[in-house]
mmCIF file of all heavy atoms in Angstrom:
data_model
loop_
_atom_site.group_PDB
_atom_site.id
_atom_site.type_symbol
_atom_site.label_atom_id
_atom_site.label_comp_id
_atom_site.label_asym_id
_atom_site.label_seq_id
_atom_site.Cartn_x
_atom_site.Cartn_y
_atom_site.Cartn_z
ATOM 1 N N ALA A 316 117.199 152.173 87.704
ATOM 2 C CA ALA A 316 115.886 152.140 87.039
ATOM 3 C C ALA A 316 114.767 152.122 88.065
ATOM 4 O O ALA A 316 113.751 152.822 87.926
ATOM 5 C CB ALA A 316 115.794 150.912 86.135
ATOM 6 N N GLU A 317 114.944 151.335 89.129
ATOM 7 C CA GLU A 317 113.923 151.269 90.188
ATOM 8 C C GLU A 317 113.765 152.614 90.880
ATOM 9 O O GLU A 317 112.651 153.068 91.157
ATOM 10 C CB GLU A 317 114.329 150.182 91.195
ATOM 11 C CG GLU A 317 113.310 149.922 92.293
ATOM 12 C CD GLU A 317 113.619 150.676 93.568
ATOM 13 O OE1 GLU A 317 114.800 150.998 93.800
ATOM 14 O OE2 GLU A 317 112.664 150.975 94.322
ATOM 15 N N LYS A 318 114.867 153.291 91.137
ATOM 16 C CA LYS A 318 114.822 154.568 91.852
ATOM 17 C C LYS A 318 114.268 155.701 90.985
ATOM 18 O O LYS A 318 113.627 156.624 91.488
ATOM 19 C CB LYS A 318 116.225 154.932 92.356
ATOM 20 C CG LYS A 318 116.697 154.090 93.542
ATOM 21 C CD LYS A 318 118.088 154.516 93.979
ATOM 22 C CE LYS A 318 118.474 153.881 95.313
ATOM 23 N NZ LYS A 318 118.447 152.423 95.270
ATOM 24 N N LYS A 319 114.542 155.645 89.681
ATOM 25 C CA LYS A 319 114.124 156.734 88.791
ATOM 26 C C LYS A 319 112.685 156.588 88.280
ATOM 27 O O LYS A 319 112.148 157.513 87.681
ATOM 28 C CB LYS A 319 115.075 156.832 87.592
ATOM 29 C CG LYS A 319 116.418 157.460 87.912
ATOM 30 C CD LYS A 319 117.270 157.597 86.663
ATOM 31 C CE LYS A 319 118.556 158.369 86.943
ATOM 32 N NZ LYS A 319 118.287 159.799 87.193
ATOM 33 N N CYS A 320 112.049 155.439 88.505
ATOM 34 C CA CYS A 320 110.679 155.234 88.007
ATOM 35 C C CYS A 320 109.758 156.302 88.604
ATOM 36 O O CYS A 320 109.602 156.381 89.834
ATOM 37 C CB CYS A 320 110.185 153.842 88.375
ATOM 38 S SG CYS A 320 108.485 153.538 87.854
ATOM 39 N N PRO A 321 109.123 157.135 87.785
ATOM 40 C CA PRO A 321 108.328 158.257 88.306
ATOM 41 C C PRO A 321 107.059 157.851 89.043
ATOM 42 O O PRO A 321 106.538 158.624 89.849
ATOM 43 C CB PRO A 321 107.994 159.076 87.048
ATOM 44 C CG PRO A 321 108.088 158.098 85.930
ATOM 45 C CD PRO A 321 109.167 157.134 86.308
ATOM 46 N N THR A 322 106.544 156.652 88.794
ATOM 47 C CA THR A 322 105.321 156.209 89.479
ATOM 48 C C THR A 322 105.587 155.092 90.493
ATOM 49 O O THR A 322 104.646 154.545 91.067
ATOM 50 C CB THR A 322 104.276 155.713 88.454
ATOM 51 O OG1 THR A 322 104.823 154.625 87.701
ATOM 52 C CG2 THR A 322 103.851 156.835 87.520
ATOM 53 N N ASN A 323 106.854 154.761 90.700
ATOM 54 C CA ASN A 323 107.230 153.701 91.655
ATOM 55 C C ASN A 323 106.556 152.371 91.343
ATOM 56 O O ASN A 323 106.192 151.613 92.247
ATOM 57 C CB ASN A 323 106.905 154.125 93.085
ATOM 58 C CG ASN A 323 107.735 155.303 93.553
ATOM 59 O OD1 ASN A 323 108.797 155.578 93.000
ATOM 60 N ND2 ASN A 323 107.245 156.025 94.558
ATOM 61 N N VAL A 324 106.399 152.068 90.053
ATOM 62 C CA VAL A 324 105.767 150.811 89.664
ATOM 63 C C VAL A 324 106.789 149.677 89.579
ATOM 64 O O VAL A 324 106.420 148.510 89.526
ATOM 65 C CB VAL A 324 105.022 150.973 88.318
ATOM 66 C CG1 VAL A 324 106.004 151.098 87.157
ATOM 67 C CG2 VAL A 324 104.065 149.820 88.081
ATOM 68 N N ILE A 325 108.074 150.012 89.602
ATOM 69 C CA ILE A 325 109.120 148.991 89.605
ATOM 70 C C ILE A 325 109.439 148.650 91.059
ATOM 71 O O ILE A 325 109.889 149.506 91.824
ATOM 72 C CB ILE A 325 110.381 149.468 88.865
ATOM 73 C CG1 ILE A 325 110.040 149.830 87.418
ATOM 74 C CG2 ILE A 325 111.467 148.393 88.903
ATOM 75 C CD1 ILE A 325 111.210 150.378 86.625
ATOM 76 N N VAL A 326 109.164 147.407 91.439
ATOM 77 C CA VAL A 326 109.282 147.003 92.846
ATOM 78 C C VAL A 326 109.954 145.640 92.948
ATOM 79 O O VAL A 326 110.089 144.913 91.960
ATOM 80 C CB VAL A 326 107.892 146.936 93.517
ATOM 81 C CG1 VAL A 326 107.224 148.306 93.533
ATOM 82 C CG2 VAL A 326 106.989 145.912 92.817
ATOM 83 N N TYR A 327 110.362 145.289 94.159
ATOM 84 C CA TYR A 327 110.927 143.979 94.432
ATOM 85 C C TYR A 327 109.832 143.057 94.976
ATOM 86 O O TYR A 327 108.971 143.481 95.746
ATOM 87 C CB TYR A 327 112.061 144.068 95.451
ATOM 88 C CG TYR A 327 113.340 144.629 94.899
ATOM 89 C CD1 TYR A 327 113.642 145.983 95.059
ATOM 90 C CD2 TYR A 327 114.248 143.822 94.215
ATOM 91 C CE1 TYR A 327 114.824 146.509 94.544
ATOM 92 C CE2 TYR A 327 115.422 144.340 93.703
ATOM 93 C CZ TYR A 327 115.704 145.683 93.869
ATOM 94 O OH TYR A 327 116.869 146.202 93.354
ATOM 95 N N ARG A 328 109.905 141.785 94.574
ATOM 96 C CA ARG A 328 109.011 140.769 95.102
ATOM 97 C C ARG A 328 109.858 139.573 95.546
ATOM 98 O O ARG A 328 110.771 139.154 94.835
ATOM 99 C CB ARG A 328 107.999 140.324 94.035
ATOM 100 C CG ARG A 328 107.019 141.404 93.600
ATOM 101 C CD ARG A 328 106.075 141.766 94.719
ATOM 102 N NE ARG A 328 105.012 142.666 94.288
ATOM 103 C CZ ARG A 328 104.697 143.788 94.905
ATOM 104 N NH1 ARG A 328 105.383 144.151 95.978
ATOM 105 N NH2 ARG A 328 103.694 144.538 94.484
#
Side-chain angles (χ1 to χ4, degrees):
E317 185 264 334
K318 287 180 169 59
K319 285 183 174 290
C320 178
T322 59
N323 294 339
V324 72
I325 301 177
V326 297
Y327 285 96
R328 294 292 188 231

